[in-house]
Amino acid sequence: MNVRNDDSPHLPARRGAVSGRGERAGELDLTGSRLTEHPSVQVPRDGLSVTLFWNGKPIVARPSDTVASALYAAGVRIFSRSVKYHRPRGLFDNQGLGSETLVTIDHEPNVRADRRRVEEGMWIEAQNAWPSVDFDLMAVNDALLPLLPNGFHYKMFHKPRWARRFFDRLIRRAAGLGTIDTAGHRTETRYEKRYRFPDICIVGAGPAGLAAARAALAHNRRVLLIDDDLQLGGHCAYSPVIVNDCDDRDLCGLSEQMAALRLIDSILGHANLEVLLQTTAVGLYEDNLVVAERGTELFKVRADSVIVATGASDRHLVFADNDRPGVMMARGVERLIGLHGVKPGRRAVVVTCHDRGYETAQMLRGAGTRVAAVVDARVKLPSIQIVSDLHNARVPIYGGETVHSANAHRTLRSVTTGDLAGLQANRTISCDLLVLAVGFKPTLGLLSMAKGPPRWHDERQIFTVDELPRGVYAAGDVNGYGSFARLYREGWEVGIAASRGQASPVSVREGSEMIMVLPADIESRGEKHFICKCMDITRAEAHRSIAEGFDQVETLKRYSNMEMGPCRGKTCYEAVARLAARDTDQGTGRPAAEPGMSSAAHSSPGRPADRTLAEVAAALFQPPCAPISLGVLAGRSRHLAPIRRTAMHDLHVQAGATFFGMGEWQCPHSYGDPQKEVQMVREGLAIIDVSTMGKWEIGGPDALALIESALPGRFGDLAVGVMRHSTICGKDGRLCGDGMISHLTAGRYYISTTTGNHSAMDSLVEWWITDRGLDVHYRNLSSVLASVHVTGQRALEFLQELVDIDLSNQAFSHLSCGQAMIANVPIRLFRTGFTGELGYDIHFPAEYGESLWHYFLERGEPHDLKPFGMEALRILMLEKGHLIPGIDTDGPAAPCAAGVGFPVGDDRAHLVGKAFLGQFEARGLDNNTVPYKLAPGAPIPPDGVVILDSGAIVGRVTCSRMSPTLGHGIGLARVAARLSAPGCHFSIRLPDGRDVEAEVLAGAAYDPDGVRLRA
Amino acid sequence: MSFLLTCPNCGRREVEEFSFRGQYRPRPAHVESFEVRANYVFFETDHEGKRLERWYHSSGCRRWFLVERDNNADPRSFWFSDLDRP
Amino acid sequence: MSGARLLKKSPIAAVYRRLGADCVEVAGWHIARHVVDLERERRALREAAVLVDWSHIGKVLIRGKSAARDAAKIDSRALQLAPLTSCRTAKTAILALTRDEMMVLSPPGSDAAIVQTLDGATSSVLNQSGGTGCFALAGPRRDEVIERSCATNLRRDRVPIGAAVQTTMHRVHCALLRTADADILLPAREYAQSLYEALLDVGSSPGLLPAGIATLPPRFDLGG
C-alpha cells in the first residue's frame, strides 16, 4: 500500500473532468465540512467514494483527498502526540513539513498524512499515544518533564549504575514516534534505484520552476522536473490572487491557480520533459548530483545544471502554546480549501503582518468560515480592497498587535492578543482556528548543501544562500517572496541561463513585493513558546541551553536537538537563528538580561535588531532534506552484491560443498569432512579447484626487466620449463604477497599468486609498466584460465594416463612447468608441492571448466580420486609450515622475518622497496612468524588468540588446526623474536582462560626435508 | 558523495570508478640516502593549491593517469606521457 | 575416452540448469537456444526487453602501441578508430577500448582463426573467448533496464550507436558495445552470473525476460 508510482504527472481528477457522476456520489458529507464551490478558487467536486479507517473508525473521503484532509473533514483535530511532552498536535502546515501528521498507515510507520493520497481500505493508526491519541496517559510528561533540567537525557539517569539499564529501557520505550513493523507485513516491499541524466534538473514545479522548464524546453534541453507535492503548481495550485503584468499575456487576469494550470498545460507532454511527482529531492551533492526519493524508488540524477525552485514556507510564529491543534499556517489553510474543498473551521482569527495575509482571510470567508478578527502587526493598516471589504463586513482588524497565546483544552478555544512586546494583553477572542499569515521563509535546504550556511539578507529580511557554485541556480520564492509575474520572469531567465551555461541573472524584488516586517514573537514573554515543535523544544529550554554556553547556532542545534527532528529545520530554522541572535548579547555570546525586555527597549516593534541577525548564520542544512527510509537508500543492494564464481562452482554446489567468502569469491570450504580430506591427500589422491588464483603472463622485450624490478628474487637464471617461488614486496619493503614464477617458453613468464591480493596486483603491475616505461606484453589470464591441483602419491600415475607428455621424475622433476594436452584441451602444467605431496597445478581455458572437472572425476574413479576443499588445503599447508601473506603475516612483516631470506644486490637499482629491504637485516627483527606444534591431546586454540610470556602479550596465533596426519595440533604464530628459535616454548591463552604450551619447530611439521615432493 | 573525475580515455565518470593512489613525485635515485628514500615512500606533501596525483580507472579502462588537482578548483586529468618530466 | 571432445560452457551454465533452458551445441559450445519459451521470448523482444547469452562468440584482445594497425588485419577500418568507437559488420565487431587496446568480436568458433590471422603482430594478442561473458540486452524497453543498472551516463546522444565504453554495472566491470538493436555487455567470466541475475532482477519492472540465441542470434550490425 505505497505511494502510487505512475509516471504520468498527476493532475487532480477534479479539474474540469469530474470523477463519477460529480457531486455527492456515494456517501453524504455529514459533517458539513465539504465545499463543492468557492468564489475565488476551483475546488474538487468528486464525491465521497473512498472508505478508510482511523484508529478502527470508518471514514469516507474523496479520491482526491490526502489522508490528512480526509481526517480533518471528518472532524479529526488531534493527529498525534508530540515526542517528549505528549501534547496533542493537529494539522499545521498541511504540507508534510513537520511531524504533527505522522501516522502509521498499513503497518508503515511515520507516514506524513498530508503527503499521502487516500486509498480504499487504508488502515490508519495514531502513533506515540496510549490508550488513544485523544486520551494519552503519557501526557503526564507535559507536567513532569519541565521539572527536569534542560538536556536531562545527557546529565541524568546514569547513576546508580545498576539502575541505568532500567532507565535506558524506559527512556528508549518512551522515545521515538512510530513502531517498526517486526511482524513482517511489509517485507515484500521492493526498493529500486534509478539513474537519470537530464541536461537540466529543476527541483520545484511552482511558477518559477515551470517557467524555467518552459525556457529550457524552448532551448531544446532535456528537462527533469521534480516536485514533492501531489500535483504541479507549487503554492499557486490553490491561490486566488489575480495575476498582473506577467510576461506571458495569456496568464494575466487569471487567478494564480488558473494561470498555473495553463502554464502546466503548455509544457506537459513535451518529448524532452520528464516529470516526477511526489518525489522529494533529499540532497544536492557536488557536480550537480540530486538524490530524490519517490516512495520506494531512489533517483540519482546527474544533471548539467540544477535549478533549485523549492519555494518558501510560512513563517513560524512563536507565542505561548503555539503548538495547539487549531493553530495552522496560512498556506495550510489555503490548501485545505483550494486543493481539497474542506472548510477549515467555524470561527477563525488571522494573524498577519503583510498584505497577502488578507487574501487568506478573504479565502476563509469564501469557504464559509467566520473570520472573528484579523490581527496585524503593522500599526498602519494597508489601504487595499480587502481591508474595506472586511470593514464593511464588520470584521474587526486590530493593528499594532500580535497573538500572545493560544488557549486550548486539547483543541483551540480562543486566542489572546495584545501588544507586540508581549507585555500587555488586550483581549481574548473565541475561535477554533488561528491562522498564521506572518510571511514566508525560503526553503533553503538544497542551496545550503550546495554552498554553505544561509546568511541573513538585510534587504529582503530573509535568509538566503548566495554565490552558488557553477551549474547551480536558484529561482522563485526561494529568493524571496514575489508576485506571480516576478517569479515567472525570474524562472524564465534562470531557465535560459542554465540552458546556455551562463551565469545566473541577478534576482530582483521591488519594495512592494517584499514582506518587510518580521513578526514580533521571539521577543515576547510567556511560557511554552515552542520553537521546535518536532523535538518539543520551548523557547525557555532553548534559552537555558544558550545560558549553558551553547550560543553558536550549530552547537545550540545539536545540544538542544532543535532542527534535528522530522522537519529537518524546514519549519524552525529561521526562528532558531533569530533566537540565537536575540538571546546572545551582540556578538559577545553572553545571554541577554531577560528575554523580551532589552530587545523591546532597543528596537522598534516588528523590526528587531538586524545587525545581530546579520552576524548569525542559520544552521547549515544537511541531507536528507526530508526523512527517508533506510530501505529506499539500500535499494536492491543486498540482493545484487556481486559474487565471483569459478568455472566449476555449480558442480561444487551439486556435490554438497559448503562455501566461504574470500572477498567477492565463493570458495568451497569442504565437501563434508576436512580432516578426512586431508587424509585423502596424504594417503593417495585428491583434486581441488584453485581457480581463484591470480594468473598473469608477461612477455615482450622487457619482461625479465619488469620481473626483476618488481620481485626481490633472481630470475635471470631461471631456465625454460622451470618455476620458482617469490615473495612480492611493497614499496616500503614489506611483504604483501607471494607467488610462483614460471619460465614457460623463451621470454614468456607466467606468474600465479594467491587469491587474497590479485585484484590489487593487477593495478600494481600496470603501474610498474606505466611508471618505468617498459615494453612488455602483460596479459591478465585470471579469468581466462581455470585451474585445479591434483595431489597425492598416486598423482603421477593418474595424470600420466591423461597427459600427452612424459611426467616421469626425470623428464618433469619438482618445480617443472610446461604445456600439454588433456582430452584435446590445451593445458599448462606445473609440478608444485605446496601440500607437501606430489602435486600438479593444471591450468586450462575456463570454458572447459565443467567438462574437464567431470572428466577428471570420471577418469579418477578407478584411482579413488575425490575433491577436497580450502579448509583441508589450509591444514595441509600448515603441516608444511607454508604461510599466507596477509593472514600469517601482518603489515609490518619483513620478508626475512617470515623466514624467506635472500640477499639484495646493489645492481638491482630499481627494485621496488629496495631502500628498505636491506634495512631489516641491519635493524634486527622484533617478531617472527614461526611454525609450532602442540602436545598430543592438547586442546586446539582458535585462530587469533594471544601468546603470553609472564603475563605479557608477546604474539598471537595466526593459524591453528588439528593435524590428522600427525595426530596433534599445529599452527603458525607471530611471536617476539626471542621466543622464535626452534625448540623454544611459549604459552597460548585459550578463550576459556586455560593455557596450552607450544614448541617452535625448526621447519615443517610434516616431511621437513621435502622427500615426498621429489620422489 | 561522489564528484566527477575526468578520465583521459573515458571522459567524466563518478569518482567511485577510480582508485586514488596518492601523490605523484619523481622517485629519488637509489644513490640517495635512506632518509630521502624513506621520506619519499611515507610522506606526501599536503598543501593548499595544486598537487599531482596518481589515479587508476579501476572500474573503467584500467589505465593509470595523472590528475593535477587544485583543492580550490576543478581537477585536470592527463596521461603520463603528456607530463613534462624534469 | 582420450580424443573425446569436451564441451565449452557458458559462465551461466548453472542458470540454464536452474531455469530448464533448452540448449544446443554451437562450435563446441553448450549454449541456450531458448531459456523460457520461444513465443514469450519473441514477444518480449518486440514489446519489452530480453537478455540473451552470447558468451560463445569469439573475443580476442589486442593490446600494444600498434593495436589499431594489428586489428586492421581483420578490418581495415580499425586503423581510423578513435577510442570509445567501433567498426562493425553483421558478424564481426572491432571495439577501440583505449588508444592501445582493441577487442575483436567474431562468430562462435572463429576466434582461433582470428588469433592465427594476428600471428606476427607486435601487440599482445589474447584469446578471451572463454574468460569473458557476453550478454545482449535488446528490446524497446532496454533503456529502462540500463537506467536501473548503471551510474554512468549512457544517454543515446552521448553514447551513440557504435560506441564502445567500459564501465560498471551492478558493481561488475564490463565493456559495452551499443548497436542499433542491442546493448552488448562483456563482463569477466567469474562475475558474469552475478551480472546476469542482477539485470534480471531490476529488469522485472520493465518486463525483461531471459532469452536464447533462437530468439536473437549474435550480430553486431543490421547491415551497412
Side-chain angles (χ1 to χ4, degrees):
Chain A
M1 278 271 205
N2 278 308
V3 165
R4 275 210 302 265
N5 287 334
D6 34 354
D7 279 318
S8 54
H10 186 82
L11 292 179
R14 69 217 191 250
R15 303 279 184 229
V18 177
S19 73
R21 280 286 294 122
E23 318 96 317
R24 309 294 162 131
E27 293 274 351
L28 292 176
D29 164 34
L30 300 170
T31 59
S33 59
R34 295 281 186 177
L35 312 168
T36 48
E37 58 190 5
H38 187 280
S40 41
V41 284
Q42 275 207 0
V43 299
R45 309 185 71 201
D46 44 343
L48 300 172
S49 55
V50 179
T51 307
L52 6 149
F53 298 89
W54 166 245
N55 294 327
K57 203 181 87 175
I59 287 182
V60 283
R62 289 171 164 152
S64 59
D65 270 331
T66 58
V67 172
S69 67
L71 293 178
Y72 197 90
V76 175
R77 290 295 176 267
I78 300 178
F79 281 65
S80 67
R81 290 278 171 164
S82 68
V83 64
K84 197 164 69 179
Y85 295 125
H86 285 255
R87 288 164 69 96
R89 294 278 162 86
L91 205 56
F92 184 63
D93 51 73
N94 193 16
Q95 217 177 328
L97 297 179
S99 58
E100 300 85 10
T101 58
L102 291 180
V103 293
T104 297
I105 298 182
D106 295 328
H107 304 288
E108 186 186 350
N110 295 339
V111 179
R112 288 167 287 172
D114 36 13
R115 278 244 175 270
R116 185 66 67 91
R117 187 88 69 193
V118 297
E119 280 179 32
E120 178 65 35
M122 262 181 168
W123 187 266
I124 307 153
E125 293 166 298
Q127 301 182 151
N128 202 37
W130 189 83
S132 81
V133 76
D134 291 318
F135 296 98
D136 182 18
L137 287 182
M138 286 291 277
V140 67
N141 282 359
D142 203 13
L144 291 181
L145 283 180
L147 303 177
L148 294 172
N150 198 41
F152 72 92
H153 43 286
Y154 299 121
K155 305 167 191 157
M156 293 178 65
F157 302 120
H158 297 276
K159 297 196 171 111
R161 290 180 77 90
W162 55 263
R164 178 156 158 203
R165 254 188 316 168
F166 167 73
F167 286 128
D168 268 354
R169 234 176 321 185
L170 198 67
I171 293 174
R172 227 172 255 287
R173 281 263 301 274
L177 291 172
T179 314
I180 294 177
D181 157 52
T182 48
H185 293 103
R186 290 172 44 78
T187 48
E188 293 313 308
T189 312
R190 195 187 156 83
Y191 295 99
E192 294 203 308
K193 285 210 179 97
R194 302 175 70 171
Y195 297 93
R196 285 288 189 276
F197 302 94
D199 294 328
I200 300 181
C201 179
I202 302 176
V203 184
L210 291 168
R214 205 187 216 186
L217 290 171
H219 278 75
N220 264 321
R221 294 285 175 267
R222 298 231 201 149
V223 176
L224 179 68
L225 182 60
I226 296 178
D227 197 289
D228 61 355
D229 215 332
L230 287 91
Q231 68 284 316
L232 300 168
H235 66 276
C236 294
Y238 44 84
S239 169
V241 176
I242 303 296
V243 174
N244 291 315
D245 295 326
C246 184
D247 292 336
D248 180 351
R249 311 308 305 173
D250 279 347
L251 305 179
C252 292
L254 301 174
S255 67
E256 288 185 348
Q257 189 191 44
M258 289 293 108
L261 280 175
R262 198 170 275 189
L263 183 50
I264 292 166
D265 275 335
S266 74
I267 60 172
L268 225 46
H270 197 290
N272 278 342
L273 175 69
E274 183 181 4
V275 178
L276 296 176
L277 274 182
Q278 292 184 192
T279 307
T280 310
V282 295
L284 174 60
Y285 304 90
E286 212 171 335
D287 282 328
N288 296 342
L289 175 68
V290 175
V291 176
E293 163 264 328
R294 181 173 78 170
T296 56
E297 292 169 298
L298 190 72
F299 288 89
K300 291 191 181 180
V301 182
R302 274 278 177 208
D304 296 341
S305 315
V306 176
I307 299 177
V308 177
T310 45
S313 60
D314 284 293
R315 201 161 246 158
H316 191 40
L317 194 63
V318 180
F319 54 91
D321 286 321
N322 59 340
D323 68 323
R324 292 301 188 196
V327 178
M328 281 190 68
M329 301 282 217
R331 278 187 176 167
V333 163
E334 292 187 18
R335 287 170 71 94
L336 269 180
I337 300 171
L339 289 179
H340 303 295
V342 173
K343 193 167 121 178
R346 286 185 344 269
R347 252 176 92 90
V349 171
V350 178
V351 183
T352 186
C353 61
H354 60 100
D355 294 359
R356 180 63 176 78
Y358 287 88
E359 297 272 1
T360 310
Q362 195 76 308
M363 206 168 159
L364 276 165
R365 294 181 64 226
T369 300
R370 178 118 179 258
V371 177
V374 174
V375 179
D376 194 331
R378 297 170 290 184
V379 174
K380 183 171 179 313
L381 297 180
S383 34
I384 51 176
Q385 181 60 40
I386 301 181
V387 171
S388 321
D389 289 347
L390 292 175
H391 275 140
N392 292 342
R394 307 250 173 111
V395 176
I397 305 178
Y398 304 107
E401 284 196 7
T402 186
V403 60
H404 282 196
S405 69
N407 312 314
H409 173 62
R410 295 212 334 264
T411 59
L412 194 64
R413 298 277 174 90
S414 66
V415 299
T416 303
T417 67
D419 74 328
L420 296 175
L423 300 169
Q424 168 80 34
N426 291 342
R427 68 192 64 74
T428 299
I429 310 169
S430 77
C431 59
D432 65 347
L433 178 67
L434 174 64
V435 180
L436 310 178
V438 290
F440 306 99
K441 57 185 195 306
T443 306
L444 294 173
L446 293 179
L447 295 177
S448 175
M449 288 174 207
K451 181 65 189 184
R455 297 239 145 233
W456 185 247
H457 193 290
D458 229 20
E459 203 205 339
R460 292 187 197 169
Q461 294 284 293
I462 51 168
F463 278 99
T464 59
V465 179
D466 298 316
E467 286 163 29
L468 297 170
R470 200 183 45 176
V472 180
Y473 302 82
D477 259 357
V478 76
N479 286 334
Y481 178 75
S483 62
F484 185 99
R486 169 75 59 204
L487 302 181
Y488 179 93
R489 175 178 296 172
E490 186 165 87
W492 178 268
E493 289 177 355
V494 167
I496 293 178
S499 303
R500 296 182 184 161
Q502 292 166 343
S504 181
V506 174
S507 173
V508 174
R509 296 286 184 275
E510 262 134 39
S512 56
E513 288 174 294
M514 295 192 276
I515 296 171
M516 299 307 295
V517 177
L518 285 175
D521 54 348
I522 303 293
E523 303 79 9
S524 64
R525 295 181 76 171
E527 295 299 316
K528 285 281 159 61
H529 292 43
F530 279 88
I531 298 260
C532 175
K533 290 168 62 187
C534 294
M535 301 304 283
D536 261 354
I537 312 295
T538 62
R539 192 199 176 302
E541 284 174 67
H543 181 66
R544 279 202 288 276
S545 299
I546 294 174
E548 286 184 36
F550 297 94
D551 56 354
Q552 303 300 310
V553 72
E554 292 285 356
T555 53
L556 172 64
K557 166 182 165 180
R558 284 161 178 79
Y559 180 71
S560 64
N561 279 334
M562 294 194 284
E563 293 192 51
M564 310 268 280
C567 83
R568 308 289 298 149
K570 283 199 286 294
T571 311
C572 53
Y573 80 89
E574 198 193 59
V576 171
R578 289 172 59 210
L579 179 79
R582 171 65 42 209
D583 272 13
T584 61
D585 217 353
Q586 223 144 327
T588 62
R590 276 178 287 123
E594 190 185 326
M597 295 305 285
S598 53
S599 52
H602 289 140
S603 60
S604 57
R607 189 122 183 158
D610 310 315
R611 285 204 178 70
T612 347
L613 251 180
E615 282 159 18
V616 172
L620 184 66
F621 284 94
Q622 282 160 341
C625 282
I628 187 168
S629 74
L630 291 175
V632 80
L633 288 174
R636 303 288 295 162
S637 306
R638 188 171 62 81
H639 308 275
L640 304 179
I643 292 175
R644 294 163 93 164
R645 297 173 168 86
T646 70
M648 289 82 88
H649 179 92
D650 198 47
L651 301 185
H652 305 316
V653 172
Q654 289 173 13
T658 49
F659 289 84
F660 70 100
M662 204 157 28
E664 289 173 330
W665 286 100
Q666 284 287 296
C667 304
H669 180 263
S670 86
Y671 296 83
D673 184 352
Q675 298 276 311
K676 223 172 101 194
E677 289 168 21
V678 171
Q679 282 170 328
M680 261 165 30
V681 173
R682 293 270 176 250
E683 285 160 19
L685 186 61
I687 184 172
I688 181 173
D689 175 358
V690 288
S691 305
T692 59
M693 288 196 307
K695 311 166 200 77
W696 290 274
E697 202 175 82
I698 302 188
D702 290 339
L704 188 58
L706 173 67
I707 292 171
E708 292 226 311
S709 69
L711 307 173
R714 279 254 172 230
F715 299 95
D717 59 342
L718 189 66
V720 175
V722 183
M723 42 193 286
R724 189 174 293 167
H725 175 265
S726 176
T727 52
I728 299 165
C729 300
K731 62 182 178 184
D732 54 359
R734 307 291 185 183
L735 196 63
C736 67
D738 73 331
M740 300 294 284
I741 322 295
S742 311
H743 197 171
L744 263 185
T745 61
R748 258 175 68 212
Y749 295 87
Y750 184 72
I751 304 176
S752 64
T753 69
T754 52
T755 305
N757 61 2
H758 86 77
S759 301
M761 276 293 302
D762 205 22
S763 68
L764 203 53
V765 176
E766 287 268 1
W767 169 248
W768 294 331
I769 297 171
T770 310
D771 185 50
R772 289 163 167 77
L774 297 167
D775 185 6
V776 293
H777 287 175
Y778 162 66
R779 292 132 51 100
N780 186 340
L781 300 177
S782 307
S783 310
V784 174
L785 301 178
S787 46
V788 298
H789 189 71
V790 177
T791 181
Q793 285 311 105
R794 297 204 297 274
L796 169 55
E797 155 195 338
F798 164 61
L799 283 177
Q800 191 64 89
E801 289 177 17
L802 310 181
V803 178
D804 63 343
I805 61 170
D806 183 1
L807 294 181
S808 67
N809 210 15
Q810 296 73 32
F812 205 78
S813 57
H814 182 57
L815 293 183
S816 296
C817 61
Q819 291 174 288
M821 297 284 270
I822 292 183
N824 284 322
V825 174
I827 64 161
R828 297 167 193 223
L829 195 60
F830 308 87
R831 183 172 156 179
T832 64
F834 48 81
T835 60
E837 304 301 324
L838 192 57
Y840 298 84
D841 252 29
I842 304 167
H843 297 200
F844 52 90
E847 61 267 35
Y848 289 109
E850 287 193 350
S851 306
L852 211 49
W853 183 265
H854 277 312
Y855 183 75
F856 280 128
L857 290 182
E858 242 179 72
R859 293 295 299 266
E861 252 211 78
H863 297 265
D864 216 15
L865 173 76
K866 294 251 172 38
F868 69 102
M870 290 292 182
E871 175 62 10
L873 182 62
R874 189 71 173 109
I875 298 174
L876 291 162
M877 286 175 61
L878 205 58
E879 289 176 348
K880 290 297 288 182
H882 290 310
L883 55 84
I884 297 175
I887 297 178
D888 299 309
T889 65
D890 43 31
C896 39
V900 185
F902 50 83
V904 179
D906 279 327
D907 54 323
R908 304 280 296 281
H910 300 295
L911 178 62
V912 171
K914 176 176 163 65
F916 300 90
L917 288 170
Q919 293 286 319
F920 294 125
E921 293 272 18
R923 289 170 188 231
L925 303 161
D926 298 326
N927 293 299
N928 262 329
T929 299
V930 291
Y932 68 83
K933 71 169 184 192
L934 305 176
I940 312 293
D943 289 352
V945 292
V946 296
I947 295 168
L948 299 175
D949 180 40
S950 315
I953 296 176
V954 290
R956 64 183 168 88
V957 170
T958 62
C959 186
S960 155
R961 296 290 190 276
M962 174 63 189
S963 163
T965 316
L966 305 164
H968 56 76
I970 53 168
L972 283 167
R974 193 130 175 79
V975 76
R978 59 184 169 81
L979 291 172
S980 60
C984 272
H985 289 253
F986 54 75
S987 226
I988 300 174
R989 169 62 55 89
L990 298 176
D992 60 9
R994 290 180 293 165
D995 283 341
V996 71
E997 193 174 287
E999 181 187 328
V1000 179
L1001 295 169
Y1006 172 81
D1007 186 24
D1009 299 318
V1011 168
R1012 290 171 76 87
L1013 285 177
R1014 291 172 170 75
Chain B
M1 264 222 146
S2 66
F3 57 95
L4 298 176
L5 192 64
T6 304
C7 167
N9 187 72
C10 307
R12 283 190 108 196
R13 295 288 183 91
E14 305 273 327
V15 73
E16 287 145 354
E17 288 196 7
F18 301 88
S19 305
F20 171 67
R21 297 287 208 248
Q23 189 180 21
Y24 177 74
R25 289 160 296 160
R27 189 181 302 105
H30 68 285
V31 295
E32 297 272 7
S33 73
F34 175 71
E35 277 68 34
V36 169
R37 290 179 293 154
N39 283 341
Y40 168 75
V41 170
F42 290 109
F43 295 107
E44 296 186 357
T45 64
D46 190 16
H47 54 265
E48 192 186 343
K50 294 193 176 148
R51 195 175 89 139
L52 267 185
E53 298 173 342
R54 309 185 294 150
W55 287 79
Y56 179 67
H57 196 178
S58 39
S59 300
C61 62
R62 295 184 164 161
R63 292 292 185 272
W64 286 91
F65 59 96
L66 289 171
V67 177
E68 183 188 67
R69 211 155 66 88
D70 181 341
N71 38 28
N72 291 324
D74 293 325
R76 180 173 78 90
S77 311
F78 48 93
W79 296 115
F80 278 93
S81 46
D82 299 332
L83 173 71
D84 294 324
R85 294 191 199 234
Chain C
M1 237 180 121
S2 60
R5 276 194 69 235
L6 297 181
L7 273 184
K8 305 186 211 183
K9 299 282 188 82
S10 155
I12 58 165
V15 179
Y16 289 162
R17 288 191 285 268
R18 198 173 70 225
L19 297 179
D22 175 29
C23 295
V24 288
E25 188 185 317
V26 175
W29 283 84
H30 184 254
I31 201 87
R33 186 166 47 193
H34 62 82
V35 179
V36 192
D37 84 60
L38 210 50
E39 206 29 65
R40 284 176 62 199
E41 290 178 17
R42 291 230 164 113
R43 187 154 17 111
L45 175 59
R46 274 195 319 268
E47 299 168 6
V50 291
L51 188 62
V52 190
D53 182 19
W54 289 356
S55 295
H56 59 323
I57 64 173
K59 313 163 201 82
V60 175
L61 200 64
I62 306 171
R63 185 160 169 193
K65 287 195 192 44
S66 59
R69 201 171 41 236
D70 291 321
K73 293 184 194 169
I74 314 288
D75 183 334
S76 58
R77 293 178 295 172
L79 211 44
Q80 265 77 46
L81 287 180
L84 309 186
T85 63
S86 69
C87 60
R88 292 152 295 132
T89 65
K91 297 283 190 185
T92 308
I94 300 186
L95 287 61
L97 297 174
T98 68
R99 56 190 183 174
D100 64 355
E101 195 169 20
M102 319 279 279
M103 187 182 289
V104 181
L105 304 178
S106 61
S110 66
D111 43 298
I114 300 268
V115 172
Q116 189 68 21
T117 312
L118 292 167
D119 192 35
T122 48
S123 309
S124 146
V125 175
L126 174 60
N127 188 340
Q128 278 203 228
S129 305
T132 307
C134 179
F135 303 130
L137 186 62
R141 295 183 72 174
R142 63 188 181 280
D143 280 350
E144 292 178 52
V145 179
I146 297 276
E147 58 106 344
R148 287 170 162 85
S149 305
C150 189
T152 303
N153 189 348
L154 294 176
R155 248 169 63 172
R156 290 187 174 272
D157 52 341
R158 310 253 169 128
V159 179
I161 293 173
V165 300
Q166 288 183 89
T167 182
T168 310
M169 255 191 222
H170 296 294
R171 289 196 263 151
V172 170
H173 176 269
C174 63
L176 182 150
L177 171 67
R178 176 157 283 172
T179 66
D181 46 9
D183 281 342
I184 301 168
L185 308 173
L186 296 147
R189 183 187 189 93
E190 67 263 25
Y191 281 108
Q193 184 176 337
S194 280
L195 177 60
Y196 190 80
E197 291 174 341
L199 289 169
L200 287 179
D201 180 283
V202 300
S204 62
S205 304
L208 178 69
L209 277 188
I213 56 172
T215 304
L216 190 66
R219 65 165 192 255
F220 305 111
D221 211 329
L222 279 174

